[in-house]
Structures are given as structure tokens and as C-alpha cells.
Amino acid sequence: FTLQTFAIFAILGMLGGKRGTYSIILYVLLGAIGLPVFSGFRSGFGVILGTTGGYIVGFILSGLIYQLFTNLIGKKTWMSFLFMIIGLLICYAFGTAWFMYAYTKNTGAVGVLSALSWCVFPFIIPDIIKIFLALFISKKVKRYIAD
């Protein structure tokens, strides 16, 4: 259980798509160069290139999806929730494909259902709750952030 997804979506909710995505990219870069910001206080390119690195890169994709949809459609709270869910699904898809590639390369073949049962299914409900909380908190905090 980590708060990475909560932080990603809270940042998007507070800073918006563009600045939020820049913040996510900065987070990934800081972790890549060695600051222990990933789950378990891990860092480095090895983490990004490892089995869970696709989910970290997927956070950037979530930000880009959120930015695209909020720019095209709007920023109402229920739409933001929907766009964050879509971003999470993209993150899951990209991360799972990455996981399967890295796992197969290092350990052996793994099926889609196995990968999903290890990496996605246990996290769906907690991640939806984190998105809901991130939206609630970001809505309260956003009024104190200068545009």
C-alpha cells in the first residue's frame, strides 16, 4: 500500500493538467537520478527499468490524459474524477504491459491474467478511493494555490 497514486491525482487536482504533469515528470526524474521517492524509498533507473517501472512511467501518461481531457472537455469535479479514472486505466495498461515484458525477460513467461491479478486487481478499489480523496482534498486546497 503506497500513496503514490493519491499524490499523483492530488497534484493533478491542485495544479491542473499542465503543471501537474510537469510535477509528475519532475518526480520521475528525481527518482531516476537517485532520490528515494519511489515506493519503499527506492530510486534509480533500475527501478524504472524493473518490473514496476511501467507504472511509474504510467503516472506521466495519466497526467497527459488528464491534461488532454480537461483542456478539451472541461474541469467539473465529476469530469475530473472520470478523467483520473481513465488516466489510472491507462497507467494500469501501460504498467502491466511493461511488467509482463520485464518479468518475462528476467524470470519467464507470465500470462495477462496472472499479471493483472498480481499488479492491478488488488489495487483497483484502493486506487479509486485514493482518487476520490485526492479530488476532495485538492478541491479544498486549490483555492490557496496561485494560478
Side-chain angles (χ1 to χ4, degrees), residues 15-145:
L15 300 180
K18 185 177 181 181
R19 291 188 303 161
T21 301
Y22 287 150
S23 296
I24 296 167
I25 292 168
L26 180 61
Y27 160 74
V28 173
L29 289 174
L30 288 172
I33 63 169
L35 268 68
V37 295
F38 301 141
S39 67
F41 297 104
R42 296 178 303 144
S43 64
F45 282 107
V47 174
I48 294 174
L49 296 175
T51 53
T52 60
Y55 298 101
I56 295 169
V57 174
F59 293 150
I60 298 170
L61 298 176
S62 294
L64 292 171
I65 291 294
Y66 182 79
Q67 179 182 358
L68 174 70
F69 285 147
T70 55
N71 286 345
L72 290 176
I73 300 172
K75 298 177 184 176
K76 293 186 189 257
T77 303
W78 70 270
M79 284 194 253
S80 290
F81 181 77
L82 177 63
F83 303 152
M84 288 179 183
I85 294 291
I86 293 169
L88 180 65
L89 293 174
I90 298 297
C91 180
Y92 282 161
F94 186 80
T96 302
W98 189 303
F99 172 86
M100 291 177 66
Y101 172 78
Y103 189 89
T104 299
K105 185 177 172 187
N106 296 325
T107 308
V110 63
V112 173
L113 191 56
S114 292
L116 289 172
S117 66
W118 295 340
C119 303
V120 175
F121 296 155
F123 303 101
I124 292 173
I125 292 173
D127 283 346
I128 290 172
I129 292 169
K130 290 176 207 174
I131 289 173
F132 185 77
L133 291 172
L135 269 174
F136 176 77
I137 290 170
S138 65
K139 191 171 177 129
K140 299 287 185 189
V141 172
K142 188 174 182 171
R143 65 183 122 182
Y144 301 107
I145 298 174

